[in-house]
């Protein structure tokens, strides 16, 4: 009388037993490494930052449009061109970060998609196995079981058993539907990510070409000014005025640091020793210290340091000696420049960099990266301007640059 119910209950217990045997990931098992973790929110923030950069660039272009191409605002125009270049460089970094984000998201999505597909296969196999167990138990249908009840109480008992099985079957089907929806959603998201990644890569190439054009235009402007006698004289006058201001600032910063060290009872013993090259790509000296004849009208005849050529716009600038950064800023003359103090009256200066990676107050070790070479400020091509001061006076850096190649 209760034989069918017993078989049905046995089938239900067998199915639940199979479900219990399904593997469950342990905490942290099978997860994407944290180092790769990235979210759509991160990508959206980069896109928002990109809009801000576009606005900044438009503002700079507006300022450039208002300036006349005359000799009186040459310094201001070059400064704005450098700022424009800086924004484009940041746009490139933003786009590179977006591409890296898309690639990380694609890895994560592929992993999640694979896990969903595995789970779908497992759940479907479980459902099929439950049906097989039901069949072997001799179960025909839910209604057949109910119609075999020989009393109302027997019917209620059978109904309770059947309802449990029906609920279980429905939960599996609902789970399968949800998994299928998740898989389809992730597949669509995957294709969207691929499209956005490809678009970002194409944009990156356009931005790099734009940066190259901007750099050439900025350098060409200086060359044209230097080729014009009157414009070159005005440019030289402004340049020397700015460099004099910087020297006064250096002396002031030196004094402030020395007073701080005395108050803290610190000494300069850690900065003792010689100098190394301020970069490790080129040994070509394109312009020496002191009097020079460059063949360009208006060029300085009293060069305060040396120019190292052959470095491009991607070479790391290195601290030639351990010390403390006393200045890290941008000037109209030196462009992006850094000054490091190594002891009383002992400093080094690195100028025309495309970017700086240290700030005022930083302690640096010998050989530490402090920036990247470039052509900012009054410069007509990528190079590194390098100065050494000892005892409060500039000395010839060539005395400390072994193996240099004369290229002037």
């Amino acid at each position: 009388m209760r034989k069918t119910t017993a078989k049905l209950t046995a089938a239900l217990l067998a199915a639940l037993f199979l479900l219990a045997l399904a593997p469950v990931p342990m905490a942290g098992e099978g997860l994407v490494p944290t180092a790769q973790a990235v979210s759509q929110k991160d990508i959206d923030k980069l896109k928002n930052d990109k809009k801000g950069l576009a606005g900044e660039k438009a503002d700079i272009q507006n300022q450039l449009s208002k300036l006349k191409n005359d000799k009186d605002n040459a310094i201001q125009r070059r400064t704005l061109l450098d700022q424009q270049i800086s924004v484009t460089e940041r746009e490139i970094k933003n786009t590179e970060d977006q591409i890296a984000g898309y690639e990380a998201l694609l890895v994560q999505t592929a992993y999640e998609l694979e896990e969903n597909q595995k789970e779908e296969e497992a759940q479907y196999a479980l459902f099929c196995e439950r049906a097989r167990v039901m069949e072997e138990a001799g179960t025909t249908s839910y209604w057949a079981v109910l119609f075999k009840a020989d009393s109302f109480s027997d019917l209620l008992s059978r109904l309770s058993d059947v309802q449990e099985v029906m609920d279980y079957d429905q939960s599996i089907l609902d789970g399968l539907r949800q998994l299928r929806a998740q898989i389809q959603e992730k597949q669509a998201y995957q294709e969207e990510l691929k499209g956005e990644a490809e678009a970002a890569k194409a944009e990156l190439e356009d931005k790099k070409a734009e940066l190259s054009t901007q750099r050439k235009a900025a350098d060409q402007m200086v060359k044209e000014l230097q080729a014009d006698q009157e414009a070159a004289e005005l440019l030289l006058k402004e340049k020397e005025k700015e460099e004099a201001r910087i020297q006064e600032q250096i002396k002031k910063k030196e004094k402030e640091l020395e007073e701080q060290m005395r108050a803290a009872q610190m000494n300069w013993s850690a900065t003792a020793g010689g100098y190394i090259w301020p970069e490790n790509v080129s040994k070509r000296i394109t312009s020496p210290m002191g009097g020079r004849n460059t063949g360009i009208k208006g060029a300085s005849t009293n060069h305060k340091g040396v120019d190292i050529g052959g470095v491009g716009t991607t070479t790391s600038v290195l601290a030639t000696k351990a010390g403390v950064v006393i200045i890290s800023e941008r000037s109209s003359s030196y462009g992006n420049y850094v000054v490091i103090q190594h002891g009383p009256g002992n400093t080094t200066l690195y100028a025309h960099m495309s970017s700086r990676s240290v700030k005022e107050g930083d302690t640096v070790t010998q050989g530490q990266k402090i920036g990247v070479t470039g052509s900012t400020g009054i410069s007509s091509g990528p190079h590194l301007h390098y100065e050494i001061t000892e005892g409060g006076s500039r000395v010839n850096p060539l005395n400390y640059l072994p193996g240099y190649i004369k290229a002037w």
Side-chain angles (χ1 to χ4, degrees), residues 249 253 256 325-328 358-362:
Q249 184 182 15
K253 293 291 184 179
E256 289 175 356
V325 178
I326 57 174
I327 298 177
S328 177
V358 292
K359 62 182 183 303
E360 183 178 331
D362 285 351

Side-chain angles (χ1 to χ4, degrees), residues 153-170:
S153 60
D154 187 23
L155 175 65
L156 292 178
S157 178
R158 289 171 180 269
L159 182 62
S160 176
D161 291 337
V162 168
Q163 186 63 50
E164 288 184 37
V165 177
M166 289 177 67
D167 289 345
Y168 176 66
D169 286 348
Q170 189 61 50

Side-chain angles (χ1 to χ4, degrees), residues 85-191:
I85 289 169
S86 176
V87 173
T88 303
E89 289 173 333
R90 285 152 58 198
E91 285 181 323
I92 287 174
K93 178 64 168 59
N94 178 284
T95 305
E96 289 173 337
D97 288 345
Q98 283 191 51
I99 292 171
Y102 286 132
E103 290 175 347
L105 275 178
L106 280 167
V107 171
Q108 288 177 210
T109 304
Y111 172 81
E112 293 168 1
L113 188 57
E114 182 181 2
E115 291 299 299
N116 285 157
Q117 290 169 333
K118 286 179 180 177
E119 187 177 356
E120 182 186 43
E121 291 172 4
Q123 290 294 332
Y124 181 69
L126 181 63
F127 184 76
C128 292
E129 180 63 17
R130 199 200 73 79
R132 185 189 64 78
V133 172
M134 292 282 287
E135 182 181 358
E136 290 178 354
T139 305
T140 54
S141 71
Y142 300 134
W143 292 111
V145 172
L146 294 176
F147 286 148
K148 290 180 181 180
D150 55 9
S151 68
F152 184 66
S153 60
D154 187 23
L155 175 65
L156 292 178
S157 178
R158 289 171 180 269
L159 182 62
S160 176
D161 291 337
V162 168
Q163 186 63 50
E164 288 184 37
V165 177
M166 289 177 67
D167 289 345
Y168 176 66
D169 286 348
Q170 189 61 50
S171 69
I172 291 181
L173 289 172
D174 289 344
L176 286 170
R177 290 191 188 98
Q178 290 175 5
L179 281 171
R180 174 47 43 187
Q182 288 177 18
I183 288 170
Q184 291 174 342
E185 183 180 345
K186 282 188 172 63
Q187 287 173 333
Y189 182 50
Q190 193 176 50
E191 291 305 309

Side-chain angles (χ1 to χ4, degrees), residues 46-113:
L46 286 169
K47 288 182 176 179
N48 190 56
D49 292 343
K50 180 182 171 183
K51 291 179 182 177
L53 291 172
E56 192 175 335
K57 179 179 283 187
D59 181 58
I60 293 171
Q61 185 57 52
N62 184 50
Q63 293 181 60
L64 280 168
S65 299
K66 291 179 180 178
L67 293 177
K68 296 178 180 179
N69 291 326
D70 55 35
K71 303 158 189 175
D72 295 332
N73 55 40
I75 295 287
Q76 188 178 357
R77 279 194 293 128
R78 176 63 204 233
T79 297
L80 287 171
L81 289 173
D82 280 347
Q83 291 174 1
Q84 187 180 61
I85 289 169
S86 176
V87 173
T88 303
E89 289 173 333
R90 285 152 58 198
E91 285 181 323
I92 287 174
K93 178 64 168 59
N94 178 284
T95 305
E96 289 173 337
D97 288 345
Q98 283 191 51
I99 292 171
Y102 286 132
E103 290 175 347
L105 275 178
L106 280 167
V107 171
Q108 288 177 210
T109 304
Y111 172 81
E112 293 168 1
L113 188 57

Side-chain angles (χ1 to χ4, degrees), residues 349-365:
L349 181 148
Y350 316 75
H352 304 301
M353 293 187 286
S354 60
S355 63
R356 295 169 279 117
S357 51
V358 292
K359 62 182 183 303
E360 183 178 331
D362 285 351
T363 297
V364 295
T365 57

Side-chain angles (χ1 to χ4, degrees), residues 228-246:
D228 182 303
Q229 185 64 45
E230 184 180 353
E233 289 176 358
L234 288 172
L235 190 65
L236 179 57
K237 185 177 180 180
E238 289 296 321
K239 182 173 180 288
E240 291 179 341
K241 181 180 178 181
E242 174 66 3
E243 291 178 359
R245 182 196 67 78
I246 289 173

Side-chain angles (χ1 to χ4, degrees), residues 268-278 318-323 340-343 346-348 350 364-368 386 388-390 395 397 399-402:
W268 292 95
S269 58
T271 65
Y275 304 89
I276 63 171
W277 273 78
L318 313 175
T320 57
K321 197 176 180 182
I340 303 174
Q341 185 170 0
H342 311 286
N346 182 200
T347 63
T348 50
Y350 316 75
V364 295
T365 57
Q366 187 177 55
Q368 179 178 331
Y386 175 60
I388 299 177
T389 298
E390 290 185 343
V395 296
N399 296 333
Y400 305 96
L401 298 176

